Amino acid sequence: EVQLVESGGGLVKPGGSLRLSCAASGFTFSNFIINWVRQAPGKGLEWVSSITTTSEYIYYADSVKGRFTVSRDNAKNSLYLQMNSLRAEDTAVYYCARDGPGGAAPGRGNFDYWGQGTLVTVSS
Amino acid sequence: EIVLTQSPGTLSLSPGERATLSCRASQSVSSYLAWYQQKPGQAPRLLIYDASNRATGIPPRFSGSGSGTDFTLTISSLEPEDFAVYYCQQRSNWPPYTFGQGTKLEIK
């Protein structure tokens, strides 16, 4: 069974930092592009970042570029999001989501499995 | 950045009725459009990808259509568990991937 489990969320002051983790199981993690998607309370979904299988290509939304850094450790089946210079508008549930495998299944840019999310609250 | 606009914002229907949800893109996304369902307190679930393909385990009452800039998600006969928020998302021109603002499907 494919599982993605986020952790590391919490309350942080504006300007502070936080590191989120996403632990993957039930599939060959190193073969899949993984994404971060966030959802502010009561709002819609916003794509945050994508990282390719070998970390060769990394992409960010303009809203987080220069402040957030995504990384992965394929040996540990884990994805990370280092968040610095946090702002009130970064308050959200952060989900990790897997890109589809392609072929006869959903391909790149279709998020076929999601974690349960971890809440980040930025407030003084 | 491609903007996706969903309509209506809220749709009030009864179980057994047919639901039609719309998603319009600010420029062509070809067929690279997906639909997700999200229930309160849960993560989104992929329903439809590439405009008309059902994801694994999605019942046939869910169908998607459209191409270019206009897309439709149809639920042929609503079940109680279908009342949720639905989002469209494009993967044609990225980064960034973008989502619509959502349509809330509520019980009438």
Side-chain angles (χ1 to χ4, degrees):
Chain A
E1 178 193 5
V2 171
Q3 280 200 313
L4 296 165
V5 180
E6 302 91 340
S7 61
L11 175 63
V12 61
K13 290 182 168 53
S17 298
L18 210 56
R19 189 193 195 210
L20 306 184
S21 299
C22 172
S25 61
F27 66 101
T28 304
F29 180 74
S30 59
N31 288 352
F32 288 84
I33 295 168
I34 309 291
N35 306 270
W36 287 101
V37 178
R38 68 184 181 183
Q39 186 170 35
K43 303 296 184 183
L45 300 166
E46 179 188 16
W47 170 81
V48 172
S49 182
S50 294
I51 184 167
T52 56
T53 55
T54 60
S55 307
E56 182 176 13
Y57 297 102
I58 295 174
Y59 306 93
Y60 297 99
D62 286 346
S63 57
V64 306
K65 202 173 293 182
R67 300 187 299 122
F68 288 13
T69 302
V70 65
S71 61
R72 65 191 292 165
D73 185 336
N74 288 340
K76 294 183 178 180
N77 293 335
S78 292
L79 174 77
Y80 306 100
L81 185 66
Q82 177 67 43
M83 304 185 295
N84 298 330
S85 303
L86 282 161
R87 306 166 180 166
E89 54 264 34
D90 296 318
T91 295
V93 174
Y94 284 74
Y95 296 101
C96 57
R98 192 186 82 166
D99 259 30
R108 184 169 187 165
N110 292 299
F111 308 140
D112 65 347
Y113 286 94
W114 298 62
Q116 85 292 347
T118 187
L119 175 62
V120 172
T121 303
V122 184
S123 175
S124 54
Chain B
E1 173 177 325
I2 294 177
V3 176
L4 300 178
T5 302
Q6 293 186 240
S7 61
T10 302
L11 185 58
S12 300
L13 294 170
S14 301
E17 290 193 292
R18 181 184 187 91
T20 303
L21 288 66
S22 294
C23 177
R24 176 165 288 178
S26 59
Q27 63 189 76
S28 177
V29 298
S30 185
S31 295
Y32 299 125
L33 189 104
W35 291 93
Y36 298 83
Q37 176 193 69
Q38 187 179 33
K39 297 179 181 179
Q42 295 185 17
R45 177 174 71 145
L46 178 66
L47 298 176
I48 301 288
Y49 65 96
D50 294 348
S52 60
N53 298 290
R54 273 189 302 276
T56 302
I58 302 304
R61 65 180 181 273
F62 290 91
S63 63
S65 63
S67 66
T69 60
D70 290 294
F71 298 87
T72 301
L73 174 70
T74 301
I75 311 171
S76 59
S77 179
L78 285 165
E79 297 287 342
E81 62 267 27
D82 298 336
F83 292 91
V85 179
Y86 292 83
Y87 295 95
C88 57
Q89 175 244 331
Q90 66 82 23
R91 69 178 186 99
S92 172
N93 186 354
W94 71 279
Y97 297 115
T98 52
F99 292 87
Q101 82 280 14
T103 289
K104 182 180 181 180
L105 178 57
E106 64 176 25
I107 299 176
K108 187 174 182 180

